């Protein structure tokens, strides 16, 4: 039986078709320059080139020059980099898969083009050239292939994301650009008509192969399960996934009105209907009710599933209601950070994440419960913190968060780099208090931040414990050592200073020359010398001097893709690995890593 992991990785093998594509294009080139050279329509190509050269005019020459510059090597590389950076940095949720699709398409097309020119040698048309002729073969056109890969790739992404008239206009303009480049290359005497047609074919085939290999796994395009598969999932609560008559129960959808726009909400509604969840109740969140009317909607025995469309703060508010009830939760990442979804290795695309969840099973995820002075007992699912990180969360501009996403926190953090250190004591599982100084303390149920930075590399949401890190860099060198250590762990190269060593007395583990200290316990008691800002899952809470956190093992049922049967992953890797390896998230939990 094929599991979700196999279905997600198998399309990547389609990239092996690219060498076959190069062979086919090269074979076509050998036919064009050999047996078919004197046959129509190839025999008439010289006449077309001469006719265009004889009718050149200033407007057409200027336009063709602009098109050739647009499709030049430097321009294509620069535009591809800009587009990829925009896909990763501008949206609330970085679109790693779409950026990879665009970059791989352009690079693969260029690789195929270079391989073909090693085999096929075709001279340029015998007309005056308006551009300097490169030493490569005229067949196929590299400019045309590159423009097709770049602008055709952007057209594919636009078709996936836009709607209505704007979708058709943007896609049409983007697809016209490669055609304009093709005509310009023939007009300028740089290629025969068959050269530009081969370039269009090369670019289009590359897009098809790379789209199937890269976009299909993230688009949730896996075949629908047969009736009776997927959810309802195993439950521990009194309500089952189906009613006594075998029908689906009620699904309550909690929607953050800003994070989940109307288009995303429509996609979620369609996915649910396609899986048989027709009895849908939608509730909106607000500042006063961060989980909407979820508590009232789940009070009866007919709610079989809750879908939360929002960020970590919305998920935390819903977990507060659902923990211990046995009602499974499906996460649709629509927030600024979506750290829980990322650590569980769910797809970043909203509809894809829901499709994967509805095809999987419910897994018990640990929940943290925190309390303190002025802080009523509250659950969290990602991280709780005090000090530097809480001040950063508190002072991040709402307008910048809406426009820049998680990058707004970086700007806020710069304002607090010179904040004074705080004195604190930490007690682990009722042991003796440990006196420390630090700029911030973070208690984590999961450990990976945006960009794949493993702030708490040993944290697992199924471990039955909470991990703690104290950040205490001394001066610019300390900040650099801490940043280098986290970056090196995120790239898999290990600690920057070569080891993570025990702290004096065996109380913790030091890293980055003492700038980081790690602990792990089922209960953590913090006492701060002065009131410090506090945060839970990216939401600011009143400042205080006490924080007590306890773990509730497996208290929240989260719908995850079917676990891989061949083993569980280790430490989460890059963000893109977290997206593509969604099926392994449940395996990591069930393995108790």
């Amino acid at each position: 039986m094929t599991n979700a992991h196999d279905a997600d990785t198998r399309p990547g093998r389609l990239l092996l078709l690219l060498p076959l594509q190069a062979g086919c294009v090269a074979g076509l080139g050998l036919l064009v320059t050999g047996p078919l050279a004197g046959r129509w329509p190839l025999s008439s190509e010289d006449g077309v080139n001469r006719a265009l050269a004889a009718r050149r005019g200033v407007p057409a020459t200027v336009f063709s020059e602009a098109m050739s510059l647009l499709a030049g090597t430097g321009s294509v590389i620069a535009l591809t980099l800009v587009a990829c950076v925009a896909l990763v940095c501008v949206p609330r949720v970085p679109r790693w898969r779409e950026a990879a699709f665009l970059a791989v398409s352009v690079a693969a097309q260029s690789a195929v083009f270079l391989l073909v020119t090693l085999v096929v040698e075709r001279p340029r048309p015998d007309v005056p050239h308006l551009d300097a002729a490169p030493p490569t073969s005229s067949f196929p056109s590299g400019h045309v292939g590159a423009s097709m890969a770049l602008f055709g790739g952007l057209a594919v992404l636009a078709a996936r994301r836009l709607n209505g008239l704007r979708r058709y206009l943007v896609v049409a303009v983007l697809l016209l650009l490669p055609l304009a480049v093709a005509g310009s290359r023939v007009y300028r005497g740089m290629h025969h008509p068959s050269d530009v047609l081969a370039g269009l074919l090369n670019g289009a085939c590359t897009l098809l192969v790379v789209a199937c290999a890269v976009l299909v796994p993230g688009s949730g395009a896996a075949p629908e399960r047969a009736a009776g598969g997927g959810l309802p999932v195993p439950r521990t609560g009194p309500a089952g996934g189906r009613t006594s008559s075998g029908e689906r129960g009620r699904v309550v959808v909690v929607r953050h009105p800003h994070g989940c726009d109307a288009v995303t909400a429509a996609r979620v509604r369609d996915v649910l209907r396609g899986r048989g969840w027709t009895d849908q109740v939608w509730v909106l969140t607000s500042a006063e009710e961060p989980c909407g009317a979820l508590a009232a909607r789940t009070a009866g025995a007919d709610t079989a599933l809750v879908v939360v469309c929002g960020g970590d703060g919305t998920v935390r508010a819903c977990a507060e209601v659902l923990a211990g009830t046995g009602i499974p939760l499906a996460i649709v990442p629509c927030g600024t950070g979506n750290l829980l979804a990322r650590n569980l290795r769910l797809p970043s695309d909203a509809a894809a994440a829901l499709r994967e969840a509805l095809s999987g099973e419910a897994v018990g995820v640990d929940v943290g419960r925190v309390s303190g002075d002025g802080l009523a007992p509250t659950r969290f699912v990602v991280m709780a913190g005090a000090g530097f990180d809480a001040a950063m969360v508190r002072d991040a501009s709402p307008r910048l968060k809406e426009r820049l996403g998680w990058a707004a926190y970086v700007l806020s953090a710069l304002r607090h780099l010179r904040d004074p250190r705080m004195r604190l004591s930490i007690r682990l599982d009722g042991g003796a208090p440990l006196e420390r100084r630090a700029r911030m303390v973070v208690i984590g149920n999961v450990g990976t931040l945006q960009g794949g930075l493993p702030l708490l590399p040993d944290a697992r949401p199924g471990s039955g414990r909470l991990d703690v890190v104290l950040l205490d860099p001394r001066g610019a060198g300390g900040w650099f050592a801490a940043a280098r250590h986290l970056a090196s762990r995120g790239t898999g190269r290990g600690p920057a200073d070569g080891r993570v060593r025990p702290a004096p007395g065996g109380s913790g583990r030091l890293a980055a020359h003492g700038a980081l200290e790690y602990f792990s316990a089922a209960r953590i008691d913090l006492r701060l010398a002065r009131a410090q800002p506090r945060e839970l899952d990216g939401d600011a809470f009143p400042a205080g001097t006490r924080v007590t956190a306890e773990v509730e093992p497996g208290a929240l049922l989260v719908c995850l893709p079917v676990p891989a049967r061949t083993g569980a992953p280790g430490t989460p890797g890059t963000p893109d690995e977290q997206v593509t390896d969604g099926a392994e998230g449940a395996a990591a939990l069930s393995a108790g890593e």
Side-chain angles (χ1 to χ4, degrees):
M1 180 177 178
T2 301
N3 58 40
H5 178 67
D6 293 335
D8 198 39
T9 57
R10 186 170 297 157
R13 301 174 186 172
L14 291 174
L15 292 177
L16 297 177
L17 292 176
L18 291 173
L20 178 61
Q21 175 186 325
C24 291
V25 177
L28 180 61
L30 293 176
L31 290 175
V32 168
T33 58
L36 301 181
R39 296 178 179 272
W40 188 89
L42 297 178
S43 59
S44 62
E45 286 191 312
D46 289 339
V48 173
N49 288 107
R50 286 193 294 268
L52 288 174
R55 291 172 174 79
R56 289 171 180 166
V58 174
T61 299
V62 172
F63 176 79
S64 67
E65 182 179 11
M67 290 296 99
S68 289
L69 289 174
L70 182 66
T73 302
S75 300
V76 169
I77 293 175
L79 291 174
T80 302
L81 289 175
V82 170
C84 291
V85 170
L87 286 168
V88 171
C89 297
V90 173
R92 290 187 179 93
V93 179
R95 297 171 181 168
W96 296 100
R97 191 183 297 278
E98 295 184 353
F101 159 71
L102 196 62
V104 173
S105 295
V106 173
Q109 182 282 144
S110 299
V112 171
F113 162 74
L114 291 175
L115 289 174
V116 172
T117 57
L118 295 176
V119 178
V120 180
E121 294 185 7
R122 191 182 195 188
R124 304 281 172 177
D126 189 17
V127 296
H129 301 157
L130 297 184
D131 293 326
T136 55
S137 170
S138 178
F139 182 97
S141 172
H143 281 67
V144 174
S147 65
M148 188 64 191
L150 173 58
F151 299 113
L154 291 174
V156 170
L157 299 183
R160 286 164 51 91
R161 293 290 178 180
L162 302 180
N163 292 280
L165 180 60
R166 184 174 61 167
R167 175 185 185 183
Y168 295 105
L169 289 176
V170 172
V171 171
V173 170
L174 289 171
L175 291 180
L176 284 175
L177 287 175
L179 298 178
V181 171
S184 298
R185 299 302 289 170
V186 176
Y187 174 87
R188 298 181 72 78
M190 305 309 299
H191 293 285
H192 305 88
S194 58
D195 300 333
V196 298
L197 290 176
L200 290 172
L201 178 65
N202 182 33
C205 289
T206 303
L207 284 177
L208 178 62
V209 172
V210 178
C212 291
V214 177
L215 289 183
V216 167
S219 65
E224 296 288 326
R225 297 290 183 91
L231 287 178
V233 295
R235 299 273 305 280
T236 59
R242 295 181 186 269
T243 64
S244 58
S245 62
E247 298 297 327
R248 297 282 190 187
R250 172 181 296 175
V251 55
V252 177
V253 183
V254 180
R255 175 191 169 198
H256 191 290
H258 301 297
C260 179
D261 56 25
V263 174
T264 303
R267 296 173 67 200
V268 169
R269 187 176 288 108
D270 290 342
V271 172
L272 287 171
R273 286 174 180 168
R275 294 303 178 93
W277 296 92
T278 56
D279 186 2
Q280 303 178 22
V281 176
W282 287 68
V283 297
L284 291 177
T285 68
S286 64
E288 296 76 20
E289 290 186 304
C291 64
L294 178 62
R297 294 295 185 179
T298 57
D302 57 351
T303 298
L305 173 68
V306 172
V307 176
V308 55
C309 304
D312 291 315
T314 308
V315 174
R316 178 192 60 78
C318 293
E320 182 71 44
V321 175
L322 296 178
T325 65
I327 300 176
L329 174 69
I331 301 173
V332 178
C334 298
T336 303
N338 303 308
L339 290 181
L340 180 61
R342 289 174 176 274
N343 279 269
L344 295 177
R345 302 184 182 182
L346 292 172
S348 59
D349 179 75
L354 182 57
R355 272 190 288 261
E356 295 252 359
L358 296 182
S359 298
E361 58 188 30
V363 179
V365 174
D366 297 345
V367 173
R369 189 173 181 85
V370 67
S371 60
D373 54 320
L375 181 61
T378 306
R379 291 184 172 100
F380 68 95
V381 291
V382 180
M383 296 177 186
F388 171 78
D389 70 312
M392 172 190 70
V393 168
R394 180 194 62 191
D395 296 338
S397 166
R399 292 184 60 187
L400 288 180
K401 285 198 295 182
E402 184 176 349
R403 295 183 180 183
L404 301 179
W406 61 270
Y409 292 120
V410 177
L411 299 178
S412 177
L414 295 177
R415 300 166 51 188
H416 294 283
L417 288 178
R418 298 181 63 85
D419 286 358
R421 302 159 66 203
M422 56 184 179
R423 290 190 296 114
L424 60 93
S425 67
I426 179 171
R427 185 192 298 264
L428 306 171
D429 291 332
L434 306 172
E435 303 297 328
R436 294 290 188 272
R437 286 181 177 268
R439 294 188 181 274
M440 78 173 188
V441 54
V442 173
I443 303 170
N445 187 39
V446 297
T448 302
L449 302 178
Q450 289 283 357
L453 290 179
L455 180 63
L456 294 161
D458 296 328
R460 298 291 186 275
S463 64
R465 298 175 69 81
L466 297 173
D467 281 58
V468 188
V469 63
L470 301 180
L471 176 67
D472 188 28
R474 309 290 180 87
W479 283 105
F480 177 76
R484 186 177 61 170
H485 173 81
L486 295 176
S488 64
R489 293 296 296 262
T491 56
R493 292 194 299 268
D497 58 2
R499 63 190 183 279
V500 179
R501 60 187 184 277
S507 56
R509 296 176 298 118
L510 294 174
H513 304 293
L516 297 164
E517 186 174 5
Y518 297 99
F519 306 90
S520 178
R523 176 186 172 97
I524 300 101
D525 291 286
L526 295 176
R527 296 295 183 267
L528 310 173
R530 294 188 302 171
Q532 298 290 340
R534 297 174 291 189
E535 62 91 9
L536 299 178
D537 290 354
D539 289 336
F541 281 75
T545 59
R546 297 198 313 273
V547 176
T548 297
E550 296 180 273
V551 66
E552 297 181 3
L556 181 66
L557 287 180
V558 178
C559 301
L560 296 177
V562 175
R565 306 303 180 190
T566 56
T571 302
T574 65
D576 213 34
E577 289 170 341
Q578 295 169 0
V579 171
T580 58
D581 293 340
E584 296 183 349
L589 294 176
S590 60
E593 290 188 349

